[in-house]
Amino acid sequence: MSADATATARRTPARGAAHRSAPASGRAARRAELRYAAGRVLPFLVIVLATLADVLSPPEERFDRFLIAAPALAAATWTARATAAIGGLAMVSTAGLALGRDGSLHPSLLANETVLAAVTLAAAVSSRVRQRREAELRQVSAVAEAVQSAVQRPLPPRLGTVELRLLYEASDAWAHVGGDFYKALKVRDGVRIMLGDVQGKGLPAVEAASLLLGSFREAAYTAPDLPAIAQRLEASMTRYAERAPESEAADRFSTVLLAEIPDDRPVIRLLSCGHPAPVVQRGGAVETVEFSAPSVPVHLPVPVDEPFTVEEVPFGPGDRLLMFTDGVSETRDADGAFYPLEQRLRAWAGESADRIPELLRGDLDRFGARGLDDDTTALLVVRGGPEAAGRAVPSPPPSGSVRV
């Protein structure tokens, strides 16, 4: 048995293996950048427009009072020193307008300057508080990303006969923490993969994901089949809930999709615990796998007596299978229509596997009414040719289900 591969996304994909968002993704990032740029320019725009309006208007119409807004606006985006400087510029403009109006200084000017100085001081203090808060948030984000990275380790581009390409986007993009999880292991006779989605978000979801990932890592090497792995996942969460009932993670259930790709047969075995069905692509043909009897999610508080059902699907050299979470399947446009995944994959049939995660991320961001607003994970599994396995791969058998 060789080393395992736990999937996590990186900012820069390694050989096309993974894609991870920057601190904010797609349209959300662009909107944030535009708002920030506008916030930087707005204080100066207020000074310029207020000054021009005061100069060009009759003396009885006063626009210099709007200058008080400049330092207040600057506090939102500029440093404390820059905010104080902008406030000083507004004070100079106020004095210049007063002198230009009748060539003399009035007692009212002193009152205006005093108020402007007080606002500038308050704005500078607010800016300093904001900077400290932003520094704290950056530290929290770094810690959260470290936690996520400790749970989800890098995914190699190949395990045995299988190539892997990952898309991961956390809904809480600034903290890099999401409820989706994934793991791929090279075992003695093939590759076993788990993709799942924990109920909820944040650190409790990450804690639940870490429990399931640890359980899968142990079970994948020793369990005889996928139903045995699913049973161990359930047992791990049950034991944890008994041991730490006060933990928020103990109340979380998870949808899970398990996959097994044997080295010597051109098939893929799939078991779904309440998870969205994957999509198989063979050349230009694309279809969603049909589960005859999907199981309930892991750790769902309901009695389960039904046996696990494993679907065996033909999966020969060159075939692709896309596993994904509901961040893909439940993305809707402004009219409420669901994302047409099968249609998109047909259109991308000629694209290399390396490009699919980036194409999918960009298309979801454009299609969604609010962009990518949920944890979004997609894992593209590609069956390599016979040379990758070092042995002949027989022809695919017909698909079927096995009840265990």
Side-chain angles (χ1 to χ4, degrees):
M1 292 182 288
S2 61
D4 69 299
T6 311
T8 194
R10 297 175 175 175
R11 284 191 177 86
T12 303
R15 295 171 56 191
H19 169 81
R20 182 173 183 166
S21 64
S25 62
R27 286 178 287 179
R30 291 190 291 271
R31 287 194 296 266
E33 291 172 359
L34 288 174
R35 286 195 298 268
Y36 181 77
R40 302 274 286 185
V41 172
L42 196 55
F44 299 101
L45 189 61
V46 167
I47 293 175
V48 171
L49 292 179
T51 301
L52 287 175
D54 197 89
V55 169
L56 299 176
S57 301
E60 62 272 12
E61 296 183 14
R62 302 280 300 278
F63 289 90
D64 58 336
R65 296 183 179 88
F66 289 99
L67 292 170
I68 198 172
L73 293 171
T77 53
W78 289 93
T79 64
R81 286 187 178 183
T83 299
I86 291 171
L89 180 60
M91 293 176 68
V92 170
S93 299
T94 299
L97 290 172
L99 291 171
R101 194 173 293 111
D102 54 14
S104 62
L105 298 176
H106 296 280
S108 60
L109 175 61
L110 179 59
N112 290 340
E113 294 284 54
T114 301
V115 171
L116 191 48
V119 171
T120 298
L121 178 61
V125 172
S126 297
S127 177
R128 175 68 68 183
V129 172
R130 174 186 57 80
Q131 287 180 276
R132 289 178 180 173
R133 179 61 175 164
E134 288 175 350
E136 292 173 358
L137 289 175
R138 284 193 295 269
Q139 185 175 7
V140 170
S141 179
V143 170
E145 186 172 7
V147 170
Q148 186 84 359
S149 297
V151 174
Q152 313 273 47
R153 295 172 189 164
L155 175 72
R158 179 183 290 275
L159 286 175
T161 64
V162 176
E163 296 180 5
L164 304 169
R165 301 294 182 267
L166 174 72
L167 163 67
Y168 176 77
E169 296 268 349
S171 62
D172 191 357
W174 297 105
H176 307 283
V177 173
D180 292 356
F181 57 94
Y182 36 83
K183 198 175 188 75
L185 296 169
K186 178 66 180 76
V187 297
R188 182 179 57 187
D189 299 323
V191 174
R192 285 176 170 174
I193 302 170
M194 176 175 69
L195 181 74
D197 182 5
V198 178
Q199 170 206 12
K201 302 172 184 177
L203 293 179
V206 174
E207 183 180 0
S210 69
L211 292 168
L212 292 169
L213 288 167
S215 178
F216 175 78
R217 179 171 182 168
E218 295 301 319
Y221 289 117
T222 58
D225 50 29
L226 296 184
I229 296 176
Q231 290 168 356
R232 293 193 192 180
L233 296 177
E234 185 69 46
S236 295
M237 291 301 298
T238 300
R239 285 195 302 269
Y240 180 78
E242 293 172 350
R243 188 171 65 250
E246 73 286 351
S247 171
E248 289 187 52
D251 296 329
R252 304 296 177 94
F253 66 84
S254 307
T255 65
V256 173
L257 179 64
L258 297 173
E260 181 179 66
I261 308 166
D263 289 335
D264 58 350
R265 294 188 62 206
V267 298
I268 184 169
R269 302 183 185 106
L270 299 164
L271 189 156
S272 173
C273 296
H275 199 81
V279 176
V280 177
Q281 177 181 345
R282 302 182 186 91
V286 176
E287 62 180 354
T288 299
V289 176
E290 293 186 6
F291 287 96
S292 57
S295 302
V296 299
V298 174
H299 200 50
L300 190 70
V302 296
V304 180
D305 298 324
E306 291 295 323
F308 292 104
T309 300
V310 176
E311 302 292 338
E312 191 170 275
V313 179
F315 197 59
D319 290 350
R320 300 176 179 180
L321 179 130
L322 187 70
M323 308 166 67
F324 52 88
T325 60
D326 58 10
V328 175
S329 58
E330 295 185 4
T331 295
R332 301 190 186 209
D333 63 12
D335 297 325
F338 287 104
Y339 182 71
L341 181 59
E342 286 191 19
Q343 177 184 332
R344 295 297 198 268
L345 289 179
R346 290 190 190 97
W348 298 334
E351 299 288 349
S352 68
D354 290 345
R355 291 203 61 211
I356 298 302
E358 179 61 28
L359 288 170
L360 181 60
R361 190 209 67 80
D363 197 49
L364 284 168
D365 192 27
R366 290 187 296 270
F367 182 87
R370 294 179 293 178
L372 293 174
D373 62 347
D374 194 5
D375 296 336
T376 303
T377 303
L379 179 58
L380 183 68
V381 182
V382 184
R383 187 66 179 260
E387 69 282 355
R391 67 186 75 180
V393 178
S395 300
S399 61
S401 301
V402 181
R403 294 175 69 83
V404 181

